[in-house]
Amino acid sequence: MRHTGGTAQPNEAVEAPLDAAGAWPVNIGTAASLSGISPKMLRHYEALGLLGAVARTDSNYRQYSLADVHTLRFIRRSRDMGFGLDAITELVSLWHNRRRSSASVKRIAQKHRDELGQRIEALQAMQRTLDELLCHCPGNDRPDCPILDDLGSL
């Protein structure tokens, strides 16, 4: 997540510096904290195979490397940008592949941008419809309500 000033924006986690962890590898709580996600989501991403094999102690505790935390931050940033898990899986794979084609990455980002554009248009259409309904609703003590009439129409 990019941090551009004195305070974080809503829904924006401020990343902890990776040197704050001290010695590597780190446990799940530290990895989660450093990457700005919950331990539950970290386990979920691991189960989906987004992290690859995570080292374990003799007691079977997870041990996360600096590279794992970088990957988790990448995943969180991708989620913050609204990418779905399928796209994130593909992006993580491309990010780790030094022989990737940037055209592949651009294709994924372009598809996501186009989908966002469609969602924005749909939301704006809903907003225009609500604006129109609100203009016709007197908002008084009478039971007549054009908003409910419209919602109930077939």
Side-chain angles (χ1 to χ4, degrees):
M1 179 72 50
R2 308 293 182 258
H3 187 63
T4 57
T7 60
Q9 297 301 314
N11 298 325
E12 179 179 21
V14 178
E15 289 183 351
L18 293 181
D19 59 359
W24 294 90
V26 296
N27 65 26
I28 192 169
T30 302
S33 176
L34 289 170
S35 58
I37 62 172
S38 69
K40 181 178 180 177
M41 284 309 297
L42 194 158
R43 283 189 217 72
H44 179 65
Y45 295 147
E46 184 181 346
L48 292 173
L50 292 173
L51 287 179
V54 174
R56 300 234 179 202
T57 66
D58 291 339
S59 302
N60 208 31
Y61 289 106
R62 293 172 173 88
Q63 293 286 285
Y64 297 90
S65 68
L66 178 61
D68 292 330
V69 172
H70 276 291
T71 299
L72 290 166
R73 284 184 173 197
F74 181 94
I75 293 165
R76 192 203 66 235
R77 176 73 173 134
S78 298
R79 292 293 289 171
D80 290 347
M81 294 289 292
F83 285 99
L85 284 174
D86 289 342
I88 292 171
T89 300
E90 206 172 341
L91 288 168
V92 167
S93 176
L94 289 165
W95 187 52
H96 287 134
N97 179 0
R98 292 291 180 199
R99 296 168 58 197
R100 69 182 170 259
S101 160
S102 67
S104 300
V105 179
K106 186 173 183 175
R107 175 186 49 80
I108 296 166
Q110 182 70 48
K111 180 180 179 212
H112 181 57
R113 190 195 66 119
D114 292 347
E115 290 168 353
L116 286 174
Q118 291 171 354
R119 288 172 40 200
I120 289 167
E121 286 177 17
L123 289 170
Q124 288 174 333
M126 286 184 242
Q127 186 177 38
R128 286 189 299 273
T129 299
L130 284 171
D131 286 343
E132 182 68 23
L133 291 171
L134 287 166
C135 280
H136 292 97
C137 180
N140 56 21
D141 292 334
R142 296 183 49 119
D144 299 331
C145 181
I147 298 171
L148 293 176
D149 293 342
D150 184 82
L151 293 173
S153 67
L154 298 176

